[in-house]
Every structure is written in C-alpha cells, then in structure tokens.
C-alpha cells in the first residue's frame, strides 16, 4: 500500500502530466471474444457461470445475453447478442478512473478493475460504450468482467466459455479471430466475422476486442 | 406486479415527494434553467406522470420502471423536473470517502482533473454535468439530451424504441439509435461531442496539444486555441441549446486554453473526434478540405437556438 509520501508524489506526477492525454498500453497479444449470434440458443449458462465465479448478487451482470426478436409473420426472426467486457484496445473506462484502479495487462490486453482501489464514482460505467462496468450498490463500487484472469493465468478459458454448451462463445487472440485463423467452434468455416452488430455502439470509439458471427437481421450497413 | 390496487396512482407518487423536498441534491440540481427550461415549461403538458401526494412505499416499482415517460414518444416531451420527480437519487449519488483498501477519494486525482477549470472534490458523474460550477457556466444539459429512452428488459432499443413496423425511432440525425446495446445513452451522439480526441488532423496540426501549445501561449495570451480561433477559423460555433456559447467565449478569452481543450481533447475517453458540423464563417477559404466533404453545415435541427 502507498504511504503518504507516495500519495504526495502521485499528485505531483499528475500535475506534471497536465494536459497529457492517456496513452493506452499496447499488449504483446490481445485476447478477445467471439460470439455466434445465430447459433446461440440463449440458455444463459454463461451468465450464470459468470455470476457463480464472481459471487455476484442479483443486479450486476458482468455478462449479458440479449434476446433480439422482431419481424411480422411470416417473416419473423430471433437472435442473441452476448457481451461482457470487450477488453478494448483503447478502453474508455480506464482514462476516467481517478484512482488508477483500472488497468490493462501488457501480456494479453485484459482490462481489469482492482476493486479495492475503487471509490465508486461510476465514471467508468458511464463512459464505457458497451455497458460493461457494473455498479454494486451494496459496496458502492464498480466491478466488471476480467476474462477470469486467474483461469487465463492457469492456462484455462474463462467460466462463461467453459459453460457454453453450444460452443458459440470462445476466446482467442483477437487478430486471429478477426482474420479467421484461430481455430474455434464458434465459427463455421463458411461464416464471416464482423466487428459490430446492429444497435451496438460504434467500435471506432474504443476498438473493442470482440467479433461476432452476425444474424442476417443484425448486420450493419 | 406487486399490488394491483395502487396502480392507478402509483406512477405519480414520487413526483410529489420531490416537490416537497424543494432543492434536490448537491448544488442546484433542478432543471438546468435558462432559455430551454422556460421553453419546455410553456409546452402543453403532455405528462404521462400525474403528480399526486401519497405514500412512497405504495409505489409500484415495476410499473414506474415501465412508465411511458421512459420511452418514445413521451420522453421527448419530458422535462428534467418530470424525471427528477422519481429519480432524486441521481442528485444524491456520492462516491465513497475511501476505497475498500483505504485510498482516500480526497487524495486521488485523475489526469483530466488537473485542467484549470476543474473545481471541487471527487463527485458523481451526473453532478459534474448538471451542477458543477463549470458545467453550469458552459452547458445546459437536460436529462433527455443524453437519455433518449431505456429498455429494462433487454437493454436494446429494438424492444421499446421501435414503431409498429419495428423501425427504430430516433431523434438523432444520421439515424443513430436512441441508445445502444447495454447502454442507457448513445455515446457517439452524446459523450463523443465533448469527450473525443483533440482533432489535430482537421487543423493540419501534428502532435499533441500539451506540446503544440508551448509556442502559442504567453502570459498575456494564455489561450492558444484563440490564436487561430479568435478571428481565423470556424468562428461560428456552439449555437446550440445544450451549450452556452456566449459564456464559453467569455470564459475562454479570460482564461486559459483549458476552457476549450477540456471539451475538445482534454477529457478524451474515446480515440476519435466527433464529426462536428462545419458552419460557414466570414472570409472562409473556398476550398473544402477532404475530411470536411461529408460534414453538415448546420448543427442538428433539434438543438438549434431560436436566435439563429
């Protein structure tokens, strides 16, 4: 823990960096998610596995499966979008944090919140374009998905991926997921990959590390 | 539904409580005042919420959550007072005094909190946009500027912000959705306007502002932006009802470039810059730069001020 001298130094350092905007960590390799919107059956096993792993009460949802339904008979459709934290290349949450609780790992680009440093100002929650940071009203702090870093460090996949019975959710190096060279069950060889689906915030804002196999009604442009 | 009996009055109960409480939250957390508030007050009352006194414990939570005021079209007519009637918590939210590990809020400072315009302790996000001293001077944000709808079921506009045919209803130009997946706002149309990157490339400048400014500012001319923006470039700006254009220019002329930089790169959460409209200005060059070819020449119609 920082002693008082360090705290004074932190303030000084902040002053010295006046008007310097934040420069994101460029990870050695960026991990990201892939989700197949079409084959997902919406069982929410991933959500529950996540809640279980993180001991979350009702309310905060690190991961959320969204049901998108529409059309008029006979042309009806339904598909799912599944997002947690997208571990963005240039996260919007990180620069808003006044205590340095949010950080991005050099090793794999995972964005994590050290909740013990969180003062619950909720700025990260507001700034995130994808609704990832979740407010915990009981503790008055914000928490979010960290891709189960402990599992990653142990060479395994996160709980949500392990819980997915349809194998429509997976992780991998995002570059390889994007160019289709990463082997995954979430995408069939003929299926193409997109960065954004309908009604999702513009990926240009933060360059999120997620790709989708989109439903025909969920395509943008 | 918790109790069918309370339904008829349920949705209005909180409103009355707010009225009794008078001032809401820190600062003057009422309607942000000014011309816009006066204007909205004169509109015929199309209020989906009836103000009736009662017992807040009897309010049906689910019913209030699904109150039509949260959705199109009623949300477009809602005033801040309507929203605050139920959402007083917005003005009361406060960060912790210390983090669970003991980091004191008073001991921390973010990079953007070193701007000359910054005042006060670590505070809530809503307070900073509506009631902070600087916010009150330079802008006039109403709840519905940011909140164009909400969807308690799927956090997706396709459920609650569509017309009979399933087409998204939006007040944003460019057909942007009223809010995006898992959000209560559309960040590209709201936050990005004031929290985008410093648009150096549009200005033909290279580098970061903290370096660039060094050659442009002096103690008698502390605002380097005005070196170029006082009488050369893009002189028609900020003529929208969610900003206070005269106050911005006055503060900027008297203060440092942080007044301008704050909204144009000094609090940049996003890696891009908002594609601002490009208003004609006096003696502007006739040639249009490539990046500006698709830019509108006017601010969004719904924000135009009457005086223009």
């Amino acid at each position: 823990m920082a002693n008082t001298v360090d705290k004074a130094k932190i303030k000084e350092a902040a002053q010295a960096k006046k008007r310097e905007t934040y420069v994101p960590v460029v990870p050695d390799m960026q991990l990201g998610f892939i989700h197949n919107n079409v084959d997902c059956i919406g069982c929410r096993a991933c959500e529950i596995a996540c809640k279980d792993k993180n001991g979350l009460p009702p309310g905060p949802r690190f991961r959320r499966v969204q049901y998108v339904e529409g059309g008029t008979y006979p042309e009806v459709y339904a598909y799912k979008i599944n997002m947690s934290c997208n571990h963005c290349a240039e996260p919007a949450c990180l620069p808003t944090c006044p205590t340095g609780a949010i950080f991005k790992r050099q090793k794999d680009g995972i964005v994590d919140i050290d909740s013990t440093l969180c003062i619950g100002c909720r700025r990260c929650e507001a700034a995130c374009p994808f609704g990832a940071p979740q407010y915990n009203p009981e503790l008055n702090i914000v928490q979010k998905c960290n891709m189960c870093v402990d599992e990653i460090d142990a060479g395994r996949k996160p709980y949500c991926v392990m819980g997915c019975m349809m194998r429509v959710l997976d992780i991998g190096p995002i570059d390889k997921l994007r160019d289709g060279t990463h082997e995954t069950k979430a995408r069939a060889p003929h299926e193409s990959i997109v960065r954004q689906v309908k009604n999702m915030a513009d990926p240009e804002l933060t360059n999120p590390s997620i790709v989708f196999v989109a439903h025909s009604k969920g395509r943008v442009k | 539904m918790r109790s069918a009996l309370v339904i008829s009055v349920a949705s209005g109960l909180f409103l009355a409580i707010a009225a009794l409480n008078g001032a809401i939250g820190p600062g003057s957390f009422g309607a942000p005042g000014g011309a816009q508030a006066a204007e909205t007050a004169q509109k015929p009352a199309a209020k989906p919420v009836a103000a009736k006194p009662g017992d807040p414990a009897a309010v049906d939570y689910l019913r209030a959550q699904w109150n039509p005021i949260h959705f199109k079209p009623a949300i477009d007519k809602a005033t801040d007072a309507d929203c605050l009637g139920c959402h007083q918590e917005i003005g009361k939210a406060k960060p912790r005094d210390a983090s669970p590990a003991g980091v004191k809020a008073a001991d921390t400072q973010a990079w953007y909190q070193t701007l000359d315009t910054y005042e006060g302790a670590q505070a809530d996000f809503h307070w900073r946009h509506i009631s902070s001293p600087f916010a009150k001077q330079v802008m006039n944000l109403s709840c519905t500027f940011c909140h164009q709808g909400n969807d308690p079921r799927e956090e997706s506009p396709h459920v609650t912000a569509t017309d009979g045919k399933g087409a998204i209803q939006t007040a944003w130009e460019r057909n942007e959705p009223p809010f995006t997946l898992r959000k209560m706002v559309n960040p590209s149309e709201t936050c990005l306007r004031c929290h985008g990157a410093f648009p150096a490339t549009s200005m033909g400048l290279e580098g970061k502002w903290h370096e660039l400014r060094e050659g442009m500012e002096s103690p008698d001319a502390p605002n380097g932006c005005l070196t170029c923006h006082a009488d050369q470039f893009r002189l028609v700006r900020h003529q929208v009802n969610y900003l206070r254009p005269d106050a911005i220019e006055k503060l900027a002329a008297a203060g440092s470039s942080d007044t301008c930089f704050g909204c144009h790169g000094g609090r940049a959460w996003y890696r891009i810059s908002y594609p601002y409209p490009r208003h004609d200005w006096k003696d502007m060059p006739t040639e249009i730069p490539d990046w500006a070819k698709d830019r509108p020449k006017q601010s969004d119609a719904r924000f135009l001020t009457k005086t223009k």
Side-chain angles (χ1 to χ4, degrees):
Chain A
M1 229 194 87
N3 60 34
T4 15
V5 185
D6 288 340
K7 279 185 202 150
K9 270 197 199 148
I10 293 168
K11 274 210 163 171
E12 233 170 71
Q15 283 293 340
K17 295 230 165 199
K18 205 166 170 173
R19 301 183 190 88
E20 264 183 61
T21 47
Y22 143 88
V23 184
V25 164
V26 181
D28 305 337
M29 179 267 300
Q30 174 73 54
L31 281 178
F33 286 104
I34 178 170
H35 179 250
N36 190 316
N37 292 181
V38 189
D39 292 341
C40 176
I41 59 169
C43 70
R44 302 191 196 271
C46 52
E47 273 192 37
I48 299 298
C50 173
K51 285 218 143 191
D52 190 17
K53 161 86 189 324
N54 293 294
L56 294 179
R61 289 162 109 157
F62 288 0
R63 174 167 290 286
R64 174 152 198 170
V65 179
Q66 295 173 285
Y67 283 48
V68 182
E69 296 146 355
T72 35
Y73 178 82
E75 223 193 291
V76 293
Y77 63 88
Y79 63 92
K80 314 288 179 284
I81 302 168
N82 186 348
M83 280 198 294
S84 60
C85 170
N86 296 327
H87 303 279
C88 302
E90 298 181 37
C93 56
L94 200 158
T96 67
C97 182
T99 66
I102 307 183
F103 59 97
K104 187 169 175 67
R105 298 216 303 183
Q106 178 73 41
K107 188 170 124 187
D108 47 22
I110 289 176
V111 179
D112 197 357
I113 306 183
D114 180 344
S115 294
T116 66
L117 302 180
C118 176
I119 56 165
C121 70
R122 302 183 71 176
R123 287 171 214 160
C124 54
E125 179 197 24
C128 171
F130 311 107
Q134 299 284 302
Y135 181 59
N136 182 330
E138 275 132 55
L139 299 173
N140 194 8
I141 60 170
V142 177
Q143 302 164 297
K144 72 168 191 64
C145 155
N146 61 7
M147 216 187 251
C148 298
V149 265
D150 47 341
E151 292 295 302
I152 300 280
D153 286 345
R156 292 188 293 262
K157 290 188 174 178
Y159 273 47
C160 52
V161 171
M162 298 309 282
C164 180
M165 67 173 104
M166 296 298 287
R167 303 281 187 270
V168 291
L169 182 68
D170 203 354
I171 59 159
I174 193 68
D175 296 348
K176 291 191 175 164
L177 285 173
R178 286 193 182 123
D179 66 18
T181 56
H182 184 75
E183 189 161 328
T184 170
K185 296 270 187 299
R187 169 184 161 273
H190 69 279
E191 284 172 328
S192 58
I193 288 294
V194 293
R195 283 175 84 196
Q196 185 187 18
V197 290
K198 201 166 157 191
N199 297 328
M200 177 180 158
D202 184 0
E204 286 304 314
L205 292 169
T206 62
N207 197 3
S209 306
I210 188 165
V211 291
F212 303 95
V213 173
H215 187 276
S216 58
K217 298 287 184 188
R219 298 233 162 86
V220 272
K221 276 155 248 159
Chain B
M1 213 61 57
R2 270 181 223 141
S3 156
L5 286 174
V6 297
I7 287 173
S8 58
V9 287
S11 50
L13 298 180
F14 280 117
L15 255 189
I17 305 156
L20 293 177
N21 272 4
I24 298 162
S28 66
F29 210 104
Q36 199 191 9
E39 204 179 289
T40 29
Q42 282 157 18
K43 277 189 197 146
K47 280 194 201 132
V49 196
K52 280 188 200 139
D55 171 14
V59 170
D60 189 300
Y61 177 84
L62 286 176
R63 192 148 183 100
Q65 189 174 26
W66 286 96
N67 189 295
I69 197 170
H70 289 119
F71 313 110
K72 299 271 171 187
I75 197 164
D76 291 325
K77 300 215 174 77
T79 64
D80 287 5
D82 292 340
C83 306
L84 285 166
C86 292
H87 286 291
Q88 296 168 53
E89 84 277 8
I90 286 308
K92 288 194 185 129
K94 269 209 180 107
R96 301 164 59 109
D97 293 332
S99 82
V103 176
K104 290 206 183 70
D107 286 343
T108 63
Q109 191 178 37
W111 56 283
Y112 55 86
Q113 292 176 329
T114 62
L115 293 177
D116 295 342
T117 55
Y118 207 83
E119 278 178 59
Q122 299 292 355
D124 174 67
F125 160 90
H126 280 101
W127 183 85
R128 275 277 160 214
H129 287 87
I130 299 169
S131 305
S132 90
F134 185 65
K136 280 203 286 205
Q137 279 177 299
V138 297
M139 50 194 197
N140 180 28
L141 297 178
S142 58
C143 308
T144 55
F145 171 84
C146 290
H147 294 287
Q148 279 288 299
N150 184 40
D151 172 53
R153 188 164 83 93
E154 291 300 333
E155 299 182 299
S156 162
H158 87 279
V159 183
T160 53
T162 47
D163 66 11
K165 291 204 179 92
I168 295 281
Q169 286 181 295
T170 178
W172 297 118
E173 295 186 13
R174 301 161 289 282
N175 218 27
E176 279 276 324
F179 56 97
T180 55
L181 296 178
R182 296 208 76 186
K183 284 300 283 180
M184 296 164 205
V185 300
N186 180 331
S188 306
E189 287 297 346
T190 53
C191 325
L192 185 61
R193 289 169 193 257
C194 305
H195 296 290
F198 181 61
T201 42
S202 304
M203 303 186 220
L205 295 172
E206 243 173 77
K208 306 253 185 200
W209 179 245
H210 70 272
E211 292 153 6
L212 288 167
R213 61 187 281 276
E214 273 166 24
M216 295 173 185
E217 292 178 354
S218 65
D220 4 302
N223 188 335
C225 309
L226 296 181
T227 330
C228 300
H229 286 289
D231 45 24
Q232 272 179 285
F233 300 109
R234 304 287 284 265
L235 307 178
V236 180
R237 53 186 179 241
H238 306 139
Q239 302 301 314
V240 283
N241 58 17
Y242 64 91
L243 295 175
R244 302 188 191 279
D246 301 339
I248 291 178
E249 297 304 326
K250 231 164 118 189
L251 272 180
S256 81
S257 55
D258 284 4
T259 311
C260 309
F261 181 58
C263 289
H264 294 292
R267 292 180 210 98
W269 323 136
Y270 307 110
R271 57 205 277 271
I272 51 174
S273 170
Y274 186 82
Y276 295 108
R278 190 165 179 267
H279 288 87
D280 286 348
W281 71 95
K282 206 173 151 267
D283 301 328
M284 69 188 275
T286 44
E287 208 185 315
I288 304 175
D290 277 344
W291 58 263
K293 295 239 153 79
D294 300 327
R295 293 288 182 87
K297 284 174 152 247
Q298 275 236 324
S299 308
D300 287 6
R302 58 189 271 240
F303 298 131
L304 292 179
T305 35
K306 276 210 219 93
T307 50
K308 263 207 70 215

